[in-house]
Amino acid sequence: MTTKIRKKLATNSLRSLTQINSLAVALHHQWLFVIARIMEDQEMQLKVKRVTDKFTESMYVLANEPSVALYRLQEHVRRSLPELVQHKTDMQSWEEQSQGAIYTVEYACSAVKSMTNSSLYFKSIDSLLRQAISMKEQISNSQGRSLCDVTPSPSPPVPAPHPPSTSS
């Protein structure tokens, strides 16, 4: 509720309360006047005055009861609203965090599923590697046989040239 609306409600309720109070007082005086004329008896006048006083008091309480209730309601809202706003922002923050975590978990699950689907590729790579190893062994074995058939005489080792010494 905006401040303008609150002020307007408060002003309107005060006007209506003032009108009700003045009406109650006017009724009280009229009752007293009418009854006093009718009843000349002192005891009866006292009883009538008590009844009209109680009636006026009841009217006053009834007139002020809504404003007291609205005041209590406004007081409650003013006290509890900041806490409710804080809870709302906390909940929004937690929702964002949980949405991020859910996205991460879903991404991880899809990655794991992709890995299980890639087992076919790993089997293919494994068989290709085994073929390559067996071909290398065949090549090594065939080169080893050809080396055994043609054994050249070992040549003497050639000494490495030494840099010239510069002695002065």
Side-chain angles (χ1 to χ4, degrees):
M1 222 189 273
T2 64
T3 308
K4 278 186 172 180
I5 294 173
R6 280 192 227 139
K7 286 181 181 178
K8 192 171 186 179
L9 285 174
T11 305
N12 288 343
S13 66
L14 284 176
R15 281 184 195 155
S16 61
L17 289 176
T18 306
Q19 290 171 350
I20 291 172
N21 284 338
S22 62
L23 179 65
V25 170
L27 281 174
H28 175 70
H29 290 298
Q30 284 179 352
W31 274 89
L32 284 176
F33 180 73
V34 169
I35 293 174
R37 287 187 131 206
I38 295 174
M39 309 272 177
E40 294 293 328
D41 188 14
Q42 284 284 1
E43 186 179 325
M44 191 57 87
Q45 285 180 359
L46 185 62
K47 288 180 182 178
V48 168
K49 185 173 179 352
R50 281 189 208 143
V51 168
T52 55
D53 286 344
K54 290 287 183 185
F55 177 74
T56 304
E57 183 181 339
S58 297
M59 288 295 289
Y60 181 77
V61 168
L62 286 174
N64 286 320
E65 187 63 30
S67 65
V68 171
L70 289 174
Y71 172 76
R72 296 288 184 209
L73 185 64
Q74 179 187 11
E75 189 178 68
H76 171 71
V77 168
R78 192 178 307 144
R79 263 189 280 121
S80 62
L81 191 64
E83 188 178 335
L84 289 174
V85 168
Q86 182 62 40
H87 283 301
K88 180 181 178 183
T89 55
D90 290 345
M91 292 300 287
Q92 287 172 337
S93 171
W94 292 338
E95 180 185 15
E96 289 172 6
Q97 290 175 358
S98 62
Q99 287 296 328
I102 288 169
Y103 175 77
T104 303
V105 167
E106 287 175 348
Y107 183 74
C109 288
S110 69
V112 168
K113 285 180 184 176
S114 298
M115 290 172 69
T116 57
N117 293 339
S118 65
S119 66
L120 177 68
Y121 300 111
F122 284 119
K123 288 179 183 175
S124 175
I125 291 170
D126 183 45
S127 72
L128 290 172
L129 284 173
R130 289 182 191 274
Q131 286 177 1
I133 290 171
S134 71
M135 289 175 91
K136 185 201 178 288
E137 287 175 353
Q138 287 176 358
I139 292 172
S140 295
N141 286 341
S142 68
Q143 282 181 354
R145 279 190 223 143
S146 66
L147 284 177
C148 289
D149 292 342
V150 181
T151 48
S153 63
S155 60
V158 178
H162 295 288
S165 66
T166 55
S167 41
S168 334

